[in-house]
Amino acid sequence: MEATGVPALDTLLVWGGAATVLAGFATVLWRGVRGTIRLAGRVEDFMDDWSGEPERPGVPGRPGVMERVSAIEERLQRVEHELYPNSGGSLRDAVDLANERLSRLCPEPEECGPTSSTEPPADQPPDASAAS
């Protein structure tokens, strides 16, 4: 590096360069730390959503993902129970009984009007036929 010939100016330029390099390193370090803190906050939010949060004063508790999936599966089982013939208490059993009674009242479909469906509904759930 060439000197300017003015010692005070040379000293000022060296210290200015050193300050610029230090400020650059500090900026890079700060951006890295700030990004890490933001990422850690997002990971913490995800983990709170995944595992749920207990109830605390003034804030209701939230179930975790596994509890929610379990509740969805239970609801789905209750709905499927109603869709297929079983013990006689399902919605499907009630519809079949109503159709049977209607067929006794109106044995000839042409006399009672057109039907909306020509295909008979399946009597077994899809999983039951695949497992057999």
Side-chain angles (χ1 to χ4, degrees), residues 5-120:
V6 182
L9 182 60
D10 289 342
T11 304
L12 180 67
L13 289 174
V14 167
W15 281 107
T20 302
V21 169
L22 287 176
F25 281 137
T27 301
V28 168
L29 182 65
W30 168 246
R31 292 187 72 136
V33 167
R34 187 180 72 177
T36 303
I37 289 172
R38 284 184 177 177
L39 179 62
R42 288 182 179 185
V43 168
E44 183 180 9
D45 290 343
F46 172 78
M47 292 307 294
D48 287 344
D49 289 342
W50 184 265
S51 61
E53 291 188 11
E55 185 174 331
R56 53 185 201 265
V59 179
R62 291 186 311 165
V65 170
M66 292 301 160
E67 292 174 72
R68 291 177 181 180
V69 168
S70 177
I72 290 169
E73 287 176 346
E74 288 174 11
R75 285 182 71 185
L76 183 60
Q77 285 176 349
R78 289 194 308 264
V79 168
E80 284 181 345
H81 176 78
E82 295 297 322
L83 294 179
Y84 301 103
N86 48 35
S87 60
S90 70
L91 179 63
R92 174 63 188 269
D93 290 327
V95 169
D96 288 345
L97 181 62
N99 282 339
E100 180 184 331
R101 288 179 178 169
L102 182 61
S103 68
R104 285 188 211 150
L105 290 174
C106 188
E108 297 297 324
E110 295 81 24
E111 295 174 8
C112 296
T115 60
S116 61
S117 174
T118 58
E119 273 186 42

